[in-house]
Amino acid sequence: MFIRDRPTTASTFMTALQVSSAKQKKDTMLAVPASFMDPITRIPKAHRRRKEIMWINWLHRSTISLLEASPHAFLRALSPILREHNGLSRGIFPLAVASILKHISYERQRDLMSAFATALPVCPADVQQAIFEMAEFMECERDERTIEVSHPYEDLAIVVQRSTPEDKFGINYDMTKSNKIVVSRLAAGGCGERAGVPLGAELISLNGVAMKSTSELRSAIEGFTSISLVFRRRIPSEVFREQTFISTKTLAQVSTNVGLHAKAIYFNEQLMHKTLLY
């Protein structure tokens, strides 16, 4: 447990991340895959006999998913170790969250913190402690307005459907000079546009198969009325103006309700500070 003066104390974990990131070669930095949220959003259902173990497994799976999706090579290397040592999850969880937060869009940040806020009031004490510790050491980042993004890309999975195999999906592709397949045009009101296919994004795979050239696309979609596409897109820089967090009010209320007195004092102090400041 630790309590610190948020305005003056920097996060040791965040400093370590910045130093490690600076030492990495560019080719070790990867885009954050779209699937990393899947284990986190699978909040355990109420089950009296197995409630605690279900939540501990949720924290374990969530931490592994965050590590595997991290843009940082040294953190990705930790995931095989964590798979063999369940007990390490709680200690690594805050670092895993911090490592990914600056590399995902504002919408994805909001979804991530919403999942943790949903879990916080209903999970057992050990898991609550892990979420509180993550929230506490990230408090020093809460009011940061300018975020440096070292790799502003994300993968996006989209399913596009058409009524019959004879209809068009309404997506045109071109090859770039670097041999990447990119979306060059969307038919107005077409299947691709309605499904949210991003214009200019790079096509990574179609129905789970990596495409090497536009000439492969026609045969790959032939006969299908539904196709699964994974795109890689550059995230607009304006979504990185600030990070999103679990609200201080939620943290203060839950820590008070469950009797975590030291954390309740800390988060209520932060809530009072924000109230007086604004």
Side-chain angles (χ1 to χ4, degrees), residues 6-276:
R6 183 178 59 84
T8 59
T9 306
S11 163
T12 303
F13 278 166
M14 297 304 290
T15 302
L17 274 180
Q18 291 163 4
V19 171
S20 300
S21 298
K23 291 180 178 179
Q24 287 193 87
K25 295 180 180 179
K26 287 186 178 180
D27 60 1
T28 66
M29 295 290 287
L30 300 180
V32 177
S35 59
F36 87 94
M37 282 286 296
D38 292 347
I40 300 168
T41 55
R42 297 192 192 113
I43 303 295
K45 304 294 183 183
H47 193 301
R48 188 173 298 174
R49 292 182 60 188
R50 298 188 61 211
K51 178 180 178 181
E52 188 165 353
I53 190 64
M54 289 171 69
W55 276 104
I56 290 172
N57 288 339
W58 172 82
L59 182 68
H60 183 61
R61 289 192 299 269
S62 297
T63 306
I64 289 175
S65 182
L66 288 163
L67 288 177
E68 289 178 340
S70 174
H72 306 279
F74 77 100
L75 287 177
R76 296 195 300 274
L78 286 178
S79 58
I81 300 171
L82 199 64
R83 286 186 181 278
E84 302 298 322
H85 301 280
N86 193 315
L88 296 176
S89 298
R90 178 176 158 181
I92 295 176
F93 172 71
L95 180 60
V97 176
S99 75
I100 207 169
L101 200 60
K102 291 186 178 183
H103 300 274
I104 57 178
S105 66
Y106 177 82
E107 290 78 11
R108 202 62 64 79
Q109 289 179 21
R110 185 181 56 199
D111 292 343
L112 182 64
M113 290 301 153
S114 177
F116 294 146
T118 299
L120 188 59
V122 295
C123 62
D126 281 353
V127 178
Q128 282 180 338
Q129 285 278 4
I131 297 175
F132 276 124
E133 285 166 10
M134 176 271 293
E136 189 174 354
F137 89 75
M138 294 185 70
E139 276 293 303
C140 65
E141 305 286 317
R142 184 180 289 275
D143 295 327
E144 291 294 324
R145 301 295 177 182
T146 303
I147 305 289
E148 181 181 349
V149 182
S150 58
H151 200 93
Y153 292 90
E154 69 173 354
D155 287 356
L156 183 67
I158 294 177
V159 175
V160 185
Q161 296 178 323
R162 57 185 176 182
S163 300
T164 69
E166 289 71 35
D167 292 334
K168 294 184 179 297
F169 284 112
I171 310 170
N172 285 16
Y173 301 91
D174 280 337
M175 292 292 294
T176 67
K177 292 180 179 179
S178 55
N179 292 322
K180 293 180 179 180
I181 304 173
V182 297
V183 179
S184 58
R185 190 174 71 85
L186 296 170
C191 302
E193 185 180 70
R194 292 199 305 272
V197 171
L199 193 63
E202 177 189 356
L203 177 66
I204 302 299
S205 67
L206 192 158
N207 290 339
V209 179
M211 296 287 107
K212 297 181 180 179
S213 70
T214 53
S215 60
E216 299 177 334
L217 297 175
R218 184 178 296 275
S219 59
I221 66 174
E222 189 173 355
F224 287 95
T225 57
S226 177
I227 54 173
S228 297
L229 305 170
V230 175
F231 296 99
R232 182 161 296 160
R233 65 176 180 177
R234 182 182 290 273
I235 306 168
S237 58
E238 57 265 26
V239 302
F240 289 96
R241 287 175 183 165
E242 59 181 300
Q243 291 174 219
T244 183
F245 297 87
I246 303 174
S247 77
T248 307
K249 184 177 181 180
T250 297
L251 294 165
Q253 286 177 339
V254 175
S255 57
T256 300
N257 292 341
V258 300
L260 294 172
H261 303 299
K263 294 193 183 299
I265 291 170
Y266 175 81
F267 287 113
N268 276 286
E269 283 179 348
Q270 300 309 316
L271 184 60
M272 181 65 72
H273 172 78
K274 290 177 71 69
T275 302
L276 294 175

